[in-house]
Amino acid sequence: MLGLALPLPAAAQKEAPPEPGPAKNITLPTPRTFTLDNGLEVKLLEYGTVPKVAVQLVMRVGNVDEAADEVWLTDLMGDMMIEGTASRSGEQIALEAASMGGSLNVGVGLDETTIGGDALAEFAPAMIALVADVARNPAFPATELERLKADMLRSLAITMSRPQSLAQQTFMAALYGDHPYGRVFPTPEIVSAFTLDQVRAFHDEHFDASRARLYVVGQFDDAAVEEAARQAFAGWAAGSEVAPAPATARASSRGRPVIHLVDRPGAVQSSIYIGLPVVDPTHADYVPLQVTNTLLGGAFSSRITRNIREDKGYTYSPFSMVSSRYRTAFWAEIADVTTAVTGASIGEIIKEIERLAAEPPPVEELQGVQNYMAGTFTLSAASRFGMLGQLRMLDLHGLPASYLRNYVQNVYAVTPADVQRIARQYLATDRMVITVVGDRSQILEQVQAFGEVITD
């Protein structure tokens, strides 16, 4: 304790930490790629120094492939795949993966389904064999169907009790209409009606080599891994690649925002989504758009967050994002605000967007955003699964490797004038779609000032 009271030496008091330098472009190693006779593409990337390996089979199938009465059928299929194969029970799958020093899981997304996990480096061939078995030979045990549907119904009930879920569902339906991207949550009736035959048929229709890509990232024996991949996926039907139906997102075309109001009597907060369609990752403006979003609402110190959280105290955790899907994307600001300031919050969000469109940001403010984005990007690519995720992103959107190699450089190339142009060109406030879930009796007059109100 005495030591804590001693004054620091003069030299230490004067010594300041070095100024952080700008992050550099990442050095992206090129994966070795080969294709099996059935069309399955394999990408092998030696990465890192830890003797572990990430193995992931990525199937080009997801919620985007569901019909209107199949919402979350892909999720149920994924849940059932991990319950066992023709030769392994669900417990055996888990124990076998654990014996390799890792785990195996199935993940379902909008555009892709993944089967994979990690393992100690020497078990890379065995993990590939296990992944292939789960993908190709799921048992879909009838004994598990009702339990998994009951779990799904409980999860759905909890999710739909949250006003932000209602706001999300309304917002996505307004943007994408009847396209699968516009159907976020199923009804309980849809889930209850799912049958085992439906699950099997969905898997049979969408799981084949033409929709699959195998990634192996980390430390591994290259020759042994290639032999394991060829053996595990030999004889898998090639199938025929089916492109998902293109999505056309809709902004307001009425010269003013369109406001979808969902009544939640007695609500003390309003859940707000404000946004519109923007360019997807294949567009040259996508990186400048990401920079603009980060400055506007995508980081803790961003303008909208400072305004309605720090200065006004309207909300606790607002944020904005650019969310991309295959060949489409949207920008949205999301916030839960106190009922009494619902209209004021919308007004401040719109004001910040229009301020950015009217005035380029100061250089110092933009540099702070660029340093943040470059640093988080570099960190995201520093792990096996982080690098694997970046490779998947390139393949999903059909982007060249230079997108990642030059990402940091392109972030720093964005100028204040670029940010202003992006705000003007892509974030037009008169084209915004707004959804609000809250007490209609208290917020209707507040939101009417911003555009045409559509009530449920």
Side-chain angles (χ1 to χ4, degrees), residues 69 153 156 186-194:
D69 61 351
L153 285 167
L156 178 64
T187 63
E189 290 75 20
I190 287 177
V191 174
S192 298
F194 286 150

Side-chain angles (χ1 to χ4, degrees), residues 47 76 90 129 184 218 250 263 265 270 279 284 292 313 315 334 339 345 380 426:
Y47 194 72
L76 180 59
V184 182
R250 301 171 298 195
D263 190 17
S270 298
V279 293
T292 303
T315 179
I334 300 161
T339 296
S345 299
S380 73
Y426 296 110

Side-chain angles (χ1 to χ4, degrees), residues 366-388:
L366 177 57
Q367 285 177 339
V369 167
Q370 290 166 320
N371 289 340
Y372 169 76
M373 290 182 65
T376 54
F377 172 77
T378 303
L379 284 174
S380 73
S383 67
R384 293 182 302 282
F385 280 102
M387 179 53 68
L388 195 157

Side-chain angles (χ1 to χ4, degrees), residues 186-222:
T187 63
E189 290 75 20
I190 287 177
V191 174
S192 298
F194 286 150
T195 67
L196 200 59
D197 286 344
Q198 231 179 330
V199 176
R200 288 185 186 280
F202 192 83
H203 178 272
D204 291 346
E205 181 181 357
H206 297 294
F207 268 62
D208 53 48
S210 67
R211 286 189 175 217
R213 185 176 279 115
L214 179 68
Y215 298 88
V216 182
V217 177
Q219 293 294 306
F220 53 86
D221 182 315
D222 191 82

Side-chain angles (χ1 to χ4, degrees), residues 96-441:
E96 199 167 325
S99 73
M100 300 178 202
S103 61
L104 186 142
N105 59 72
V106 177
V108 171
L110 291 171
D111 296 301
E112 296 175 326
T113 295
T114 62
I115 304 103
D118 61 349
L120 296 171
E122 62 266 34
F123 294 112
M127 179 58 82
I128 291 171
L130 185 60
V131 166
D133 190 34
V134 171
R136 297 182 59 184
N137 310 305
F140 295 129
T143 53
E144 306 301 326
L145 178 65
E146 293 307 319
R147 176 180 64 81
L148 292 174
K149 285 169 58 175
D151 289 347
M152 187 171 278
L153 285 167
R154 277 192 293 273
S155 173
L156 178 64
I158 294 170
T159 299
M160 297 312 294
S161 70
R162 296 171 180 150
Q164 199 166 93
S165 299
L166 298 175
Q168 179 191 9
Q169 178 170 262
T170 306
F171 180 77
M172 296 303 292
L175 250 58
Y176 289 105
D178 289 334
H179 189 277
Y181 292 150
R183 300 190 290 259
V184 182
F185 305 111
T187 63
E189 290 75 20
I190 287 177
V191 174
S192 298
F194 286 150
T195 67
L196 200 59
D197 286 344
Q198 231 179 330
V199 176
R200 288 185 186 280
F202 192 83
H203 178 272
D204 291 346
E205 181 181 357
H206 297 294
F207 268 62
D208 53 48
S210 67
R211 286 189 175 217
R213 185 176 279 115
L214 179 68
Y215 298 88
V216 182
V217 177
Q219 293 294 306
F220 53 86
D221 182 315
D222 191 82
V225 162
E226 177 172 348
E227 182 181 353
R230 292 187 181 280
Q231 185 174 346
F233 293 99
W236 198 14
S240 57
E241 189 167 358
V242 179
T248 303
R250 301 171 298 195
S252 170
S253 58
R254 307 184 188 190
R256 301 183 71 193
V258 174
I259 302 152
H260 299 263
L261 176 56
V262 179
D263 190 17
R264 197 163 183 263
V268 296
Q269 284 192 324
S270 298
S271 293
I272 300 172
Y273 267 65
I274 300 178
L276 75 174
V278 292
V279 293
D280 67 70
T282 61
H283 197 284
D285 279 341
Y286 190 70
V287 171
L289 177 64
Q290 287 180 309
V291 173
T292 303
N293 168 65
T294 305
L295 186 145
L296 193 56
F300 193 73
S301 60
S302 59
R303 289 189 174 188
I304 294 175
T305 302
R306 289 203 310 268
N307 183 330
I308 63 174
R309 183 186 190 278
E310 303 297 330
D311 298 344
K312 306 292 191 309
Y314 291 164
T315 179
Y316 182 70
S317 54
F319 66 97
S320 71
M321 62 181 179
V322 179
S323 183
S324 65
R325 285 122 177 84
Y326 181 68
R327 297 293 182 266
T328 184
F330 65 87
W331 177 87
E333 170 71 31
I334 300 161
D336 293 328
V337 305
T338 305
T339 296
V341 294
T342 301
S345 299
I346 294 172
E348 291 300 322
I349 292 168
I350 289 176
K351 188 181 81 174
E352 290 294 353
I353 297 170
E354 293 180 341
R355 179 163 75 99
L356 198 58
E359 301 172 7
V363 171
E364 296 75 15
E365 182 182 9
L366 177 57
Q367 285 177 339
V369 167
Q370 290 166 320
N371 289 340
Y372 169 76
M373 290 182 65
T376 54
F377 172 77
T378 303
L379 284 174
S380 73
S383 67
R384 293 182 302 282
F385 280 102
M387 179 53 68
L388 195 157
Q390 298 287 10
L391 295 175
R392 279 178 48 195
M393 189 272 292
L394 292 183
D395 290 332
L396 173 64
H397 296 291
L399 299 172
S402 59
Y403 179 90
L404 295 181
R405 289 199 183 100
N406 300 331
Y407 183 83
V408 171
Q409 174 185 320
N410 289 337
V411 165
Y412 280 113
V414 175
T415 67
D418 291 332
V419 172
Q420 182 185 20
R421 176 183 66 82
I422 292 291
R424 284 179 174 174
Q425 187 169 345
Y426 296 110
L427 303 180
T429 55
D430 60 353
R431 300 184 69 237
M432 291 284 172
V433 173
I434 303 175
T435 64
V436 184
V437 177
D439 188 333
R440 183 179 186 280
S441 66

